[in-house]
Amino acid sequence: DKSNLKLILPTLKKFKIDIISSDGSFKQIKNMNYNCTEISNYTDFSEMLDGRVKTLHPKIHAGILNIRKNKKHKADLKKLNIENIDLVIVDLYPFEKKLKEKKKFKDLIDYIDIGGSTLMRSAAKNFNDVTVISNITDYSLLAKELETNKGSTSIKFRKFMSAKAFSLT
């Protein structure tokens, strides 16, 4: 659901937060005249299997899961030219909604989100360093938090959002 992007994109731009996105969101963000890097350009690895594999990449998860104060983690990332990913925003595929539509199983199975859930759990696990947003209704909370903290988020906010993400997954 890309309907609330207009609520968060201006704040991300204001604080010069680089955006990496998969295909559908990438197109929407670009159409709204915001800068964005397509995930396949960032990872240098094309989406495959009809879009089933796009965010499941070491460059993405190392950027999320590294402990920022850990010297070995910093060295690993530097050696592999991997940047920190400090904010993860995911809106899962609407599996339950599609289930109610009585879709055929072969069509329904593609609404089981693997990459999105994995991104959310990686970010939630590393709440000391990473903020995870797992619901589009939280964009306004994120915008307020970024404004209050001059482009950053508090540990209290990250813990709260982490708990929400774990609850959802």
Coordinates of all heavy atoms in Angstrom, one line a residue, residues 39-104:
I39 N 16.5 -1.3 -5.7 CA 17.2 -2.3 -4.9 C 18.2 -3.1 -5.7 O 19.3 -3.4 -5.3 CB 16.3 -3.2 -4.0 CG1 17.1 -3.8 -2.9 CG2 15.6 -4.2 -4.9 CD1 16.3 -4.3 -1.8
S40 N 17.8 -3.4 -6.9 CA 18.7 -4.2 -7.8 C 19.9 -3.4 -8.2 O 21.0 -4.0 -8.4 CB 17.9 -4.7 -9.0 OG 17.4 -3.7 -9.8
N41 N 19.8 -2.1 -8.3 CA 21.0 -1.3 -8.6 C 21.9 -1.2 -7.4 O 23.1 -1.1 -7.5 CB 20.5 0.1 -9.1 CG 20.0 0.1 -10.4 OD1 20.3 -0.7 -11.3 ND2 19.1 1.1 -10.7
Y42 N 21.2 -1.1 -6.2 CA 22.0 -1.1 -5.0 C 22.8 -2.4 -4.7 O 24.0 -2.4 -4.4 CB 21.1 -0.8 -3.8 CG 21.8 -0.7 -2.5 CD1 22.6 0.4 -2.1 CD2 21.8 -1.7 -1.5 CE1 23.3 0.5 -0.9 CE2 22.5 -1.7 -0.3 CZ 23.2 -0.6 -0.1 OH 23.9 -0.5 1.1
T43 N 22.1 -3.5 -4.9 CA 22.8 -4.8 -4.6 C 23.6 -5.3 -5.8 O 24.4 -6.2 -5.6 CB 21.7 -5.9 -4.3 OG1 20.8 -6.0 -5.4 CG2 20.9 -5.5 -3.0
D44 N 23.4 -4.7 -7.0 CA 24.0 -5.2 -8.2 C 23.6 -6.6 -8.5 O 24.3 -7.4 -9.0 CB 25.5 -5.0 -8.2 CG 26.1 -5.0 -9.6 OD1 25.4 -4.6 -10.5 OD2 27.3 -5.4 -9.7
F45 N 22.3 -6.9 -8.2 CA 21.7 -8.2 -8.4 C 20.3 -8.1 -8.7 O 19.5 -7.5 -8.0 CB 21.8 -9.0 -7.1 CG 21.7 -10.5 -7.2 CD1 22.8 -11.3 -7.5 CD2 20.5 -11.1 -7.2 CE1 22.7 -12.7 -7.7 CE2 20.4 -12.5 -7.3 CZ 21.5 -13.3 -7.6
S46 N 19.9 -8.5 -9.9 CA 18.5 -8.3 -10.4 C 17.5 -9.1 -9.6 O 17.8 -10.2 -9.1 CB 18.4 -8.8 -11.9 OG 19.2 -8.0 -12.7
E47 N 16.3 -8.5 -9.5 CA 15.2 -9.3 -8.9 C 15.0 -10.6 -9.7 O 15.3 -10.5 -11.0 CB 13.9 -8.5 -9.0 CG 13.9 -7.3 -8.0 CD 12.5 -6.6 -8.0 OE1 11.5 -7.1 -8.5 OE2 12.5 -5.4 -7.5
M48 N 14.6 -11.6 -9.1 CA 14.5 -12.9 -9.9 C 13.3 -13.7 -9.4 O 12.6 -13.3 -8.4 CB 15.8 -13.7 -9.7 CG 16.1 -14.1 -8.3 SD 17.8 -14.9 -8.2 CE 17.5 -16.4 -8.9
L49 N 13.0 -14.8 -10.1 CA 11.9 -15.7 -9.8 C 10.6 -14.9 -9.7 O 9.8 -15.1 -8.8 CB 12.2 -16.5 -8.5 CG 13.5 -17.2 -8.4 CD1 13.6 -17.9 -7.0 CD2 13.6 -18.2 -9.5
D50 N 10.3 -14.1 -10.7 CA 9.1 -13.3 -10.8 C 8.9 -12.4 -9.6 O 7.8 -12.2 -9.1 CB 7.9 -14.2 -11.0 CG 7.9 -15.0 -12.3 OD1 8.3 -14.5 -13.3 OD2 7.6 -16.3 -12.2
G51 N 10.0 -11.9 -9.1 CA 9.9 -10.9 -8.0 C 10.0 -11.6 -6.6 O 9.9 -10.9 -5.6
R52 N 10.1 -12.9 -6.6 CA 10.1 -13.6 -5.3 C 11.4 -13.3 -4.5 O 11.4 -13.4 -3.3 CB 9.9 -15.1 -5.4 CG 8.5 -15.5 -5.7 CD 8.4 -17.0 -5.8 NE 7.0 -17.4 -5.7 CZ 6.6 -18.6 -5.4 NH1 7.5 -19.6 -5.1 NH2 5.3 -18.9 -5.4
V53 N 12.5 -13.0 -5.2 CA 13.7 -12.7 -4.6 C 14.2 -11.3 -5.0 O 14.5 -11.1 -6.2 CB 14.8 -13.8 -4.9 CG1 16.2 -13.4 -4.3 CG2 14.4 -15.2 -4.5
K54 N 14.2 -10.4 -4.1 CA 14.6 -9.0 -4.4 C 15.3 -8.4 -3.2 O 16.4 -7.8 -3.3 CB 13.5 -8.2 -4.9 CG 12.2 -8.2 -4.2 CD 11.1 -7.5 -4.9 CE 9.7 -8.0 -4.5 NZ 8.7 -7.8 -5.5
T55 N 14.8 -8.6 -2.0 CA 15.4 -8.0 -0.8 C 16.3 -9.0 0.0 O 16.9 -8.6 0.9 CB 14.4 -7.3 0.1 OG1 13.5 -8.4 0.5 CG2 13.6 -6.2 -0.6
L56 N 16.2 -10.2 -0.4 CA 17.0 -11.2 0.4 C 18.4 -11.3 -0.2 O 18.8 -12.1 -1.0 CB 16.3 -12.6 0.2 CG 14.9 -12.7 0.7 CD1 14.2 -14.0 0.2 CD2 14.8 -12.6 2.2
H57 N 19.2 -10.3 0.3 CA 20.6 -10.1 -0.2 C 21.5 -9.8 1.0 O 21.1 -8.9 1.9 CB 20.6 -9.1 -1.2 CG 21.8 -9.0 -2.0 ND1 23.0 -8.3 -1.5 CD2 22.2 -9.5 -3.2 CE1 23.9 -8.4 -2.4 NE2 23.5 -9.1 -3.4
P58 N 22.7 -10.3 1.1 CA 23.6 -10.0 2.2 C 23.9 -8.5 2.3 O 24.1 -8.0 3.4 CB 24.9 -10.7 1.8 CG 24.5 -11.8 0.9 CD 23.3 -11.3 0.1
K59 N 23.9 -7.8 1.2 CA 24.2 -6.3 1.3 C 23.1 -5.6 2.0 O 23.4 -4.6 2.7 CB 24.4 -5.7 -0.2 CG 25.0 -4.4 -0.2 CD 25.4 -3.9 -1.6 CE 26.0 -2.6 -1.5 NZ 26.4 -2.1 -2.9
I60 N 21.9 -6.0 1.8 CA 20.8 -5.4 2.5 C 20.8 -5.8 4.0 O 20.8 -5.0 4.9 CB 19.4 -5.9 1.9 CG1 19.4 -5.4 0.4 CG2 18.3 -5.4 2.7 CD1 19.4 -3.9 0.2
H61 N 20.9 -7.1 4.3 CA 20.8 -7.6 5.7 C 22.0 -7.2 6.5 O 21.9 -7.0 7.7 CB 20.3 -9.0 5.7 CG 18.9 -9.2 5.3 ND1 17.9 -8.9 6.1 CD2 18.4 -9.4 4.1 CE1 16.7 -9.1 5.5 NE2 17.0 -9.4 4.2
A62 N 23.2 -7.2 5.9 CA 24.4 -6.8 6.6 C 24.3 -5.3 7.0 O 24.7 -4.9 8.1 CB 25.6 -7.0 5.8
G63 N 23.7 -4.5 6.1 CA 23.5 -3.1 6.3 C 22.5 -2.9 7.5 O 22.6 -1.9 8.2
I64 N 21.6 -3.8 7.6 CA 20.6 -3.7 8.7 C 21.1 -4.3 10.0 O 21.0 -3.7 11.1 CB 19.3 -4.4 8.3 CG1 18.6 -3.7 7.1 CG2 18.3 -4.4 9.5 CD1 17.5 -4.4 6.5
L65 N 21.7 -5.5 10.0 CA 22.0 -6.2 11.2 C 23.3 -5.9 11.9 O 23.5 -6.3 13.0 CB 21.9 -7.7 10.8 CG 20.5 -8.3 10.6 CD1 20.6 -9.7 10.0 CD2 19.8 -8.4 12.0
N66 N 24.2 -5.2 11.2 CA 25.4 -4.9 11.9 C 25.2 -4.0 13.1 O 24.4 -3.1 13.2 CB 26.4 -4.2 10.9 CG 26.1 -2.8 10.6 OD1 26.6 -1.9 11.4 ND2 25.4 -2.5 9.6
I67 N 26.0 -4.3 14.1 CA 26.0 -3.6 15.4 C 27.0 -2.4 15.2 O 28.2 -2.6 15.0 CB 26.4 -4.4 16.6 CG1 25.4 -5.6 16.7 CG2 26.5 -3.6 17.8 CD1 25.8 -6.7 17.7
R68 N 26.4 -1.2 15.2 CA 27.2 0.0 14.8 C 28.4 0.2 15.7 O 29.4 0.8 15.2 CB 26.3 1.3 14.9 CG 25.0 1.2 14.0 CD 25.2 0.7 12.6 NE 24.0 0.9 11.8 CZ 23.2 0.0 11.5 NH1 23.3 -1.3 11.9 NH2 22.1 0.3 10.7
K69 N 28.4 -0.2 16.9 CA 29.6 0.0 17.8 C 30.6 -1.1 17.8 O 31.6 -1.1 18.4 CB 29.1 0.2 19.3 CG 28.3 1.5 19.4 CD 27.9 1.6 20.9 CE 27.1 2.9 21.0 NZ 26.5 3.1 22.4
N70 N 30.3 -2.2 17.0 CA 31.2 -3.4 16.9 C 32.3 -3.1 15.8 O 32.0 -3.0 14.6 CB 30.3 -4.6 16.6 CG 31.1 -5.9 16.5 OD1 32.1 -6.0 15.9 ND2 30.6 -6.9 17.2
K71 N 33.5 -3.1 16.2 CA 34.6 -2.8 15.3 C 34.8 -3.8 14.2 O 35.1 -3.5 13.1 CB 35.9 -2.7 16.1 CG 36.0 -1.4 16.9 CD 37.3 -1.3 17.7 CE 37.3 -0.1 18.6 NZ 38.5 0.1 19.4
K72 N 34.5 -5.1 14.6 CA 34.6 -6.2 13.5 C 33.5 -6.0 12.5 O 33.7 -6.1 11.3 CB 34.5 -7.5 14.2 CG 34.7 -8.6 13.1 CD 34.9 -10.0 13.7 CE 35.0 -11.1 12.7 NZ 34.6 -10.9 11.4
H73 N 32.3 -5.7 12.9 CA 31.2 -5.4 12.0 C 31.5 -4.2 11.1 O 31.3 -4.3 9.9 CB 29.9 -5.1 12.8 CG 29.3 -6.3 13.5 ND1 28.0 -6.3 13.9 CD2 29.8 -7.5 13.8 CE1 27.8 -7.5 14.4 NE2 28.9 -8.2 14.4
K74 N 32.1 -3.2 11.7 CA 32.5 -2.0 10.9 C 33.5 -2.4 9.8 O 33.4 -2.0 8.6 CB 33.0 -0.9 11.7 CG 32.0 -0.1 12.5 CD 32.7 1.0 13.3 CE 31.7 1.8 14.1 NZ 32.3 2.9 14.9
A75 N 34.5 -3.2 10.2 CA 35.5 -3.6 9.3 C 35.0 -4.5 8.2 O 35.3 -4.4 7.0 CB 36.6 -4.4 10.1
D76 N 34.1 -5.4 8.5 CA 33.4 -6.3 7.5 C 32.7 -5.4 6.5 O 32.8 -5.7 5.3 CB 32.4 -7.3 8.2 CG 33.1 -8.4 8.9 OD1 34.3 -8.6 8.8 OD2 32.4 -9.1 9.7
L77 N 31.9 -4.5 7.0 CA 31.1 -3.6 6.0 C 32.1 -2.8 5.2 O 31.8 -2.7 4.0 CB 30.2 -2.7 6.8 CG 28.8 -3.3 7.0 CD1 28.7 -4.6 7.7 CD2 27.8 -2.3 7.6
K78 N 33.1 -2.3 5.8 CA 34.0 -1.4 5.0 C 34.7 -2.3 3.9 O 34.8 -1.8 2.7 CB 35.1 -0.8 5.9 CG 36.0 0.1 5.2 CD 36.9 0.9 6.2 CE 37.8 1.8 5.4 NZ 38.6 2.6 6.2
K79 N 35.1 -3.5 4.3 CA 35.8 -4.4 3.3 C 34.9 -4.7 2.1 O 35.4 -4.8 1.0 CB 36.2 -5.7 4.0 CG 37.1 -6.6 3.2 CD 37.6 -7.7 4.0 CE 36.7 -8.9 4.0 NZ 37.1 -10.1 4.7
L80 N 33.6 -4.8 2.4 CA 32.7 -5.2 1.3 C 31.9 -4.0 0.8 O 31.0 -4.2 0.0 CB 31.7 -6.3 1.9 CG 32.3 -7.6 2.3 CD1 31.4 -8.4 3.1 CD2 32.8 -8.3 1.1
N81 N 32.3 -2.8 1.2 CA 31.6 -1.6 0.7 C 30.1 -1.6 0.9 O 29.3 -1.4 0.0 CB 32.0 -1.4 -0.8 CG 31.7 0.0 -1.2 OD1 31.7 1.0 -0.4 ND2 31.3 0.2 -2.5
I82 N 29.7 -1.9 2.1 CA 28.3 -2.0 2.5 C 28.0 -0.8 3.5 O 28.7 -0.6 4.4 CB 28.0 -3.4 3.2 CG1 28.2 -4.5 2.2 CG2 26.5 -3.3 3.7 CD1 28.0 -5.9 2.7
E83 N 26.9 -0.1 3.2 CA 26.5 1.0 4.0 C 25.5 0.5 5.1 O 24.8 -0.4 4.9 CB 25.9 2.1 3.2 CG 26.9 2.7 2.2 CD 26.2 3.8 1.3 OE1 25.4 4.5 1.8 OE2 26.6 3.9 0.1
N84 N 25.4 1.3 6.2 CA 24.4 1.0 7.2 C 23.0 1.3 6.6 O 22.9 2.3 5.9 CB 24.6 1.9 8.4 CG 25.8 1.6 9.2 OD1 26.2 0.4 9.2 ND2 26.4 2.5 9.9
I85 N 22.1 0.6 7.0 CA 20.7 0.8 6.7 C 20.0 1.0 8.1 O 19.9 0.1 8.9 CB 20.0 -0.3 5.9 CG1 20.7 -0.4 4.5 CG2 18.5 -0.1 5.8 CD1 20.2 -1.6 3.7
D86 N 19.6 2.3 8.3 CA 19.2 2.7 9.7 C 17.6 2.7 9.8 O 17.1 2.9 10.9 CB 19.7 4.0 10.1 CG 21.3 4.0 10.1 OD1 21.8 3.0 10.5 OD2 21.9 5.0 9.7
L87 N 16.9 2.7 8.7 CA 15.5 2.8 8.7 C 14.9 1.8 7.7 O 15.4 1.7 6.5 CB 15.1 4.2 8.3 CG 13.6 4.5 8.1 CD1 12.8 4.2 9.3 CD2 13.4 5.9 7.6
V88 N 14.0 0.9 8.1 CA 13.4 0.0 7.3 C 11.9 0.2 7.4 O 11.3 0.2 8.4 CB 13.7 -1.5 7.7 CG1 12.9 -2.5 6.9 CG2 15.2 -1.7 7.5
I89 N 11.3 0.5 6.2 CA 9.8 0.7 6.1 C 9.3 -0.4 5.2 O 9.7 -0.5 4.1 CB 9.5 2.1 5.6 CG1 10.0 3.1 6.5 CG2 8.0 2.2 5.4 CD1 9.9 4.6 5.9
V90 N 8.4 -1.2 5.8 CA 7.8 -2.4 5.0 C 6.3 -2.4 5.2 O 5.8 -2.2 6.3 CB 8.4 -3.7 5.5 CG1 7.7 -4.9 4.8 CG2 9.9 -3.8 5.3
D91 N 5.6 -2.6 4.1 CA 4.2 -2.9 4.1 C 4.0 -4.3 3.5 O 4.3 -4.5 2.3 CB 3.4 -1.8 3.4 CG 1.9 -2.0 3.5 OD1 1.4 -2.3 4.6 OD2 1.2 -1.9 2.4
L92 N 3.6 -5.2 4.3 CA 3.5 -6.6 3.9 C 2.4 -6.8 2.8 O 1.4 -6.0 2.8 CB 3.2 -7.6 5.0 CG 4.3 -7.6 6.1 CD1 3.9 -8.5 7.2 CD2 5.6 -8.1 5.5
Y93 N 2.6 -7.8 2.0 CA 1.5 -8.1 1.0 C 0.3 -8.4 1.8 O 0.3 -9.0 2.8 CB 1.9 -9.4 0.2 CG 3.2 -9.2 -0.7 CD1 4.1 -10.2 -0.8 CD2 3.3 -8.0 -1.4 CE1 5.2 -10.0 -1.6 CE2 4.5 -7.9 -2.3 CZ 5.4 -8.9 -2.3 OH 6.5 -8.7 -3.1
P94 N -0.9 -8.1 1.2 CA -2.2 -8.3 1.9 C -2.7 -9.7 1.8 O -3.8 -9.9 1.3 CB -3.1 -7.3 1.1 CG -2.5 -7.3 -0.3 CD -1.0 -7.4 -0.1
F95 N -2.0 -10.6 2.4 CA -2.4 -12.0 2.4 C -3.8 -12.3 2.9 O -4.6 -12.9 2.3 CB -1.4 -12.9 3.1 CG -1.7 -14.4 3.1 CD1 -1.5 -15.1 1.9 CD2 -2.3 -15.0 4.2 CE1 -1.8 -16.4 1.9 CE2 -2.6 -16.3 4.1 CZ -2.4 -17.1 3.0
E96 N -4.1 -11.8 4.1 CA -5.4 -12.0 4.7 C -6.5 -11.5 3.9 O -7.6 -12.1 3.8 CB -5.4 -11.5 6.2 CG -4.5 -12.3 7.1 CD -4.4 -11.8 8.5 OE1 -4.9 -10.6 8.7 OE2 -3.9 -12.5 9.4
K97 N -6.3 -10.3 3.3 CA -7.3 -9.7 2.5 C -7.5 -10.5 1.2 O -8.7 -10.8 0.8 CB -6.8 -8.3 2.1 CG -7.8 -7.6 1.1 CD -7.2 -6.2 0.7 CE -8.1 -5.5 -0.3 NZ -7.5 -4.3 -0.9
K98 N -6.5 -11.0 0.6 CA -6.6 -11.9 -0.6 C -7.2 -13.2 -0.2 O -7.9 -13.8 -1.0 CB -5.2 -12.1 -1.2 CG -4.6 -10.7 -1.7 CD -5.5 -10.1 -2.8 CE -4.9 -8.8 -3.3 NZ -5.7 -8.2 -4.3
L99 N -7.0 -13.7 1.0 CA -7.5 -15.0 1.4 C -9.1 -14.9 1.4 O -9.8 -15.8 1.0 CB -7.0 -15.3 2.8 CG -7.4 -16.7 3.4 CD1 -6.8 -17.8 2.5 CD2 -6.8 -16.8 4.8
K100 N -9.6 -13.7 1.9 CA -11.0 -13.5 2.0 C -11.7 -13.4 0.6 O -12.9 -13.6 0.4 CB -11.3 -12.3 2.8 CG -11.0 -12.4 4.3 CD -11.2 -11.1 5.0 CE -10.8 -11.3 6.5 NZ -10.8 -10.0 7.2
E101 N -10.9 -13.1 -0.4 CA -11.4 -12.9 -1.8 C -11.5 -14.3 -2.4 O -11.9 -14.3 -3.6 CB -10.4 -12.0 -2.6 CG -10.4 -10.6 -2.2 CD -9.4 -9.8 -2.9 OE1 -8.8 -10.2 -4.0 OE2 -9.1 -8.6 -2.5
K102 N -11.2 -15.3 -1.7 CA -11.4 -16.7 -2.3 C -10.6 -16.9 -3.6 O -11.1 -17.5 -4.5 CB -12.9 -17.0 -2.5 CG -13.7 -16.8 -1.3 CD -13.9 -18.0 -0.5 CE -15.0 -17.9 0.6 NZ -14.6 -17.5 1.9
K103 N -9.4 -16.4 -3.6 CA -8.5 -16.6 -4.7 C -8.1 -18.0 -4.8 O -8.0 -18.8 -3.8 CB -7.3 -15.7 -4.6 CG -7.5 -14.2 -4.8 CD -6.2 -13.5 -5.0 CE -6.4 -12.1 -5.6 NZ -6.8 -12.1 -7.0
K104 N -7.7 -18.4 -6.0 CA -7.2 -19.8 -6.2 C -5.8 -19.9 -5.5 O -5.1 -18.9 -5.4 CB -7.0 -20.1 -7.7 CG -8.2 -20.2 -8.5 CD -8.0 -20.5 -9.9 CE -9.3 -20.5 -10.7 NZ -9.1 -20.7 -12.1

